[in-house]
Amino acid sequence: MKLPVYLDYSATTPVDPRVAEKMIPFLTENFGNPASRSHTFGWTAEQAVENAREEVAKLVNADPREIVWTSGATESDNLAIKGAAEFYQTKGRHLITVKTEHKAVLDTMRELESSGFEVTYLEPMANGLLDLDAFRAAIRPDTVLASVMQVNNEIGVIQDIAAIGRICREHGVIFHVDAAQATGKVEIDLEQLPVDLMSFSAHKTYGPKGIGALYVRRKPRIRLKAQMHGGGHERGLRSGTLATHQIVGMGEAFRIAREEMAAENERIRRLRDRLLAGLADMEEVFINGDLEQRVPHNLNISFNYVEGESLMMAIKDLAVSSGSACTSASLEPSYVLRALGRSDELAHSSIRFTLGRYTTAEDVDFAISLIKDKVARLREISPLWEMYKDGIDLNTVQWAAAH
Amino acid sequence: MAYSDKVIDHYENPRNVGSFDKDEDGVGTGVVGAPACGDVMKLQIKINEEGVIEDAKFKTYGCGSAIASSSLVTEWVKGKTVDEALAIKNSDIAEALALPPVKIHCSVLAEDAIKAAVSDYKAKLGVADDGYEIRKSAA
Ligand SMILES: Cc1ncc(COP(=O)(O)O)c(C=O)c1O
Ligand code: FES
């Protein structure tokens, strides 16, 4: 087993060797510009780009003409939200999103607020899911767009995209979905789903970083104001010479995801259940986010009475993410966990394990024993654990506000 | 976050972890910080008849630097008089552990813990100590 063990697949995934192999010729011999119409170098590249577009479309059951290449999900979110908000602003200037969205959505919304749009940020329920009645109630006559992610990057919960989309349709609201964490993990059928815009990223699904796509529905047609101007590539929606090798990589990664996801998710679910079983018998542990409506890849747990950063330090043989931000200049813990109503303490002591294609049972067992050992050690030196064991209710203690 | 070797040493081998009975004579207990801020430090000192700190123990909920700061402080206060212990400055702790700027508050907390423990000890003796009333009540 190679240390540290990587359990941070939601941050990024390694490129599948099959993907890397497919990409390389497009860096060297097939280096043509896909926009070159006058020679075979260009035609070869264009063919490769169109094959990849078809693969991306196939994974989500869309038409290849509905796929626009971007540099990643961040750009797709920006193009979708700003592009639609700006194009349709004569219809209204109100937008709706959720507090647990990725920063690529939240900061885009903030940016639009500064140019006169109004945004409603909905609180999710305690399990991380969106309350459909609250969503419906937030819609106003001037609401033009709603943006709700399919799979949350921190807690892995899956929103009911079909139901949210139906509500949007009833009210004539454009519906954008950030699906960066969803591809290869949940079935996506855009012929069935009432979704107008959907963001994808390659590097969360064993493709390369720096490439993504935006799905833009053709029927009924969704119009966007371009955010990148230039040579008019991608039907004018996103100018810039296409990164053939990256696109080929994304296509291959999404092809593999389509063919292997059913079996892979089953295997990963067994590993996640093993991890959960191994940790759940500890005292004072809390799972963050709904356990049923959730991708099998994610387990987000808070270990009460140990502080997140010291826990991360103790488990440096595991590459995982922490909900604690005590490291940075701000002492704010994860905004996602806070939005679920988790206390600062529990948010501080949370760890996100995300499993993936190359995770083994051995990795999981190693993680379980390391976590158990280190949490016990940190609790041994934790005054809060001592107080808890002495039967003191920490909520009744008056703390000195030290900083 | 890269930690200095000294922080890692104290973090991995914390000195003087534990608790004294806080009602025992000569024991001063200081609890500073708050769970919501991500750090709580409990420092206890045991003071003999000559007014010398003969033993110290700590428990800390906090980052590695906070754990290291409190562990270091338990070593430093031993053998010192109460007044000598009060002279320990957070900057001394930060320097000894090579803490980066974002971790200075962890050493501030350790300094506060010394003050709170001394203040508690004095209060138990019935010695008025205007300066630390607030900390004492918070502990
Ligand atoms: C939900 C979600 N949206 C957007 C992004 C950003 O994707 P990219 O790195 O492709 O810009 C990420 C990845 O961090 C994500 O998890
Ligand atoms: S205790 Fe908060 S960063 Fe050290």
Side-chain angles (χ1 to χ4, degrees):
Chain A
M1 194 173 47
K2 228 172 76 194
L3 294 181
V5 168
Y6 190 76
L7 292 176
D8 205 12
Y9 280 84
S10 282
T12 193
T13 57
V15 172
D16 188 303
R18 294 170 287 183
V19 170
E21 200 182 328
K22 202 120 187 214
M23 290 172 65
I24 290 166
F26 290 92
L27 285 163
T28 50
E29 65 261 40
N30 302 326
F31 60 85
N33 185 331
S36 297
R37 292 287 149 82
S38 51
H39 48 69
T40 151
F41 295 92
W43 301 332
T44 306
E46 190 194 17
Q47 188 56 52
V49 164
E50 293 318 313
N51 289 347
R53 200 187 302 273
E54 216 159 283
E55 287 300 344
V56 169
K58 257 191 194 166
L59 178 67
V60 294
N61 200 19
D63 187 302
R65 289 169 299 181
E66 297 176 310
I67 302 297
V68 175
W69 300 114
T70 66
S71 62
T74 301
E75 187 190 336
S76 299
D77 290 345
N78 272 264
L79 175 57
I81 298 168
K82 289 178 189 161
E86 287 168 10
F87 192 91
Y88 294 99
Q89 60 182 313
T90 51
K91 284 181 62 189
R93 307 192 90 199
H94 178 241
L95 313 163
I96 300 173
T97 190
V98 190
K99 288 189 173 168
T100 46
E101 289 294 307
H102 191 269
K103 289 285 183 191
V105 167
L106 294 176
D107 279 11
T108 299
M109 292 285 183
R110 287 265 178 252
E111 182 63 23
L112 285 169
E113 278 181 304
S114 71
S115 52
F117 285 86
E118 239 189 285
V119 182
T120 299
Y121 300 89
L122 293 170
E123 292 269 356
M125 299 185 287
N127 61 3
L129 295 171
L130 182 57
D131 179 342
L132 297 182
D133 292 329
F135 179 70
R136 195 190 304 272
I139 296 176
R140 312 191 316 207
D142 62 339
T143 306
V144 281
L145 174 139
S147 180
V148 179
M149 74 203 313
Q150 187 159 17
V151 174
N152 184 276
N153 45 302
E154 281 196 34
I155 53 178
V157 300
I158 308 167
Q159 300 290 356
D160 189 347
I161 294 303
I164 299 166
R166 277 195 297 275
I167 297 171
C168 287
R169 283 283 150 86
E170 282 166 27
H171 294 84
V173 172
I174 296 168
F175 187 31
H176 167 251
V177 175
D178 179 343
Q181 296 283 350
T183 48
K185 300 191 180 96
V186 292
E187 293 281 351
I188 300 172
D189 181 350
L190 287 167
E191 248 177 42
Q192 301 298 322
L193 284 175
V195 168
D196 300 305
L197 298 158
M198 190 177 261
S199 301
F200 305 113
S201 179
H203 75 97
K204 311 285 187 183
T205 310
Y206 309 94
K209 294 164 189 58
I211 184 74
L214 179 67
Y215 160 84
V216 184
R217 184 172 288 281
R218 283 166 64 89
K219 287 179 193 147
R221 177 139 183 241
I222 297 299
R223 310 281 303 272
L224 299 176
K225 186 174 176 305
Q227 304 294 314
M228 188 71 80
H229 303 94
H233 308 75
E234 299 297 277
R235 298 163 199 269
L237 276 178
R238 204 277 192 173
S239 288
T241 298
L242 292 175
T244 315
H245 61 297
Q246 302 288 81
I247 289 169
V248 165
M250 181 162 178
E252 181 66 358
F254 276 38
R255 180 192 67 76
I256 294 170
R258 174 169 52 82
E259 290 177 356
E260 302 182 356
M261 68 183 273
E264 180 166 293
N265 287 346
E266 238 353 274
R267 192 184 73 84
I268 289 173
R269 180 180 301 283
R270 282 197 297 276
L271 290 175
R272 201 273 312 270
D273 288 347
R274 186 185 184 106
L275 179 61
L276 176 62
L279 298 176
D281 65 352
M282 296 169 69
E283 274 182 276
E284 288 290 304
V285 296
F286 300 89
I287 312 288
N288 298 307
D290 196 88
L291 205 45
E292 296 306 317
Q293 287 295 327
R294 185 191 197 102
V295 291
H297 309 66
N298 174 297
L299 189 62
N300 188 312
I301 299 198
S302 291
F303 300 88
N304 212 1
Y305 311 121
V306 303
E307 189 275 333
E309 195 189 319
S310 57
L311 181 56
M312 292 296 283
M313 193 174 165
I315 57 170
K316 49 185 181 318
D317 284 338
L318 290 181
V320 291
S321 287
S322 160
S324 172
C326 203
T327 39
S328 56
S330 90
L331 293 171
E332 282 295 299
S334 153
Y335 68 91
V336 171
L337 298 187
R338 293 295 289 127
L340 305 193
R342 281 293 192 218
S343 67
D344 282 345
E345 296 92 297
L346 282 179
H348 270 301
S349 69
S350 71
I351 290 198
R352 176 188 76 175
F353 302 90
T354 44
L355 284 53
R357 185 165 292 167
Y358 308 105
T359 307
T360 64
E362 198 188 6
D363 292 340
V364 168
D365 292 344
F366 174 79
I368 294 169
S369 73
L370 188 71
I371 293 271
K372 280 192 151 161
D373 184 49
K374 299 299 182 182
V375 167
R377 193 178 90 80
L378 287 170
R379 282 179 173 171
E380 206 44 56
I381 69 170
S382 164
L384 302 182
W385 180 250
E386 181 180 74
M387 290 163 115
Y388 163 72
K389 283 282 155 183
D390 287 344
I392 297 169
D393 178 358
L394 295 182
N395 294 317
T396 65
V397 177
Q398 247 204 318
W399 303 102
H403 57 256
Chain B
M1 162 90 11
Y3 289 97
S4 70
D5 292 345
K6 289 224 180 68
V7 169
I8 291 171
D9 177 38
H10 275 277
Y11 171 77
E12 281 177 355
N13 312 292
R15 332 286 203 258
N16 308 306
V17 172
S19 302
F20 301 127
D21 177 358
K22 66 177 173 32
D23 298 324
E24 193 184 324
D25 277 351
V27 168
T29 303
V31 181
V32 293
C37 305
D39 32 48
V40 176
M41 229 176 241
K42 186 183 83 165
L43 177 71
Q44 291 187 302
I45 47 178
K46 192 182 266 183
I47 295 153
N48 66 18
E49 263 130 48
E50 285 81 56
V52 173
I53 300 172
E54 58 181 27
D55 205 357
K57 294 223 177 288
F58 86 97
K59 285 201 176 188
T60 291
Y61 164 88
C63 73
S65 304
I67 291 170
S69 297
S70 36
S71 167
L72 179 68
V73 157
T74 58
E75 283 194 322
W76 278 4
V77 295
K78 274 201 227 180
K80 284 197 166 61
T81 65
V82 165
D83 287 338
E84 284 167 349
L86 284 176
I88 295 173
K89 290 279 156 279
N90 85 282
S91 50
D92 305 333
I93 302 166
E95 196 185 307
L97 294 174
L99 298 183
V102 295
K103 293 296 177 181
I104 297 302
H105 77 270
C106 317
S107 63
V108 172
L109 210 57
E111 181 189 319
D112 288 348
I114 301 174
K115 289 177 175 158
V118 168
S119 171
D120 179 60
Y121 162 73
K122 288 187 175 170
K124 277 168 74 179
L125 282 184
V127 180
D129 191 335
D130 300 337
Y132 305 111
E133 278 307 306
I134 300 159
R135 302 243 173 251
K136 195 208 74 186
S137 65

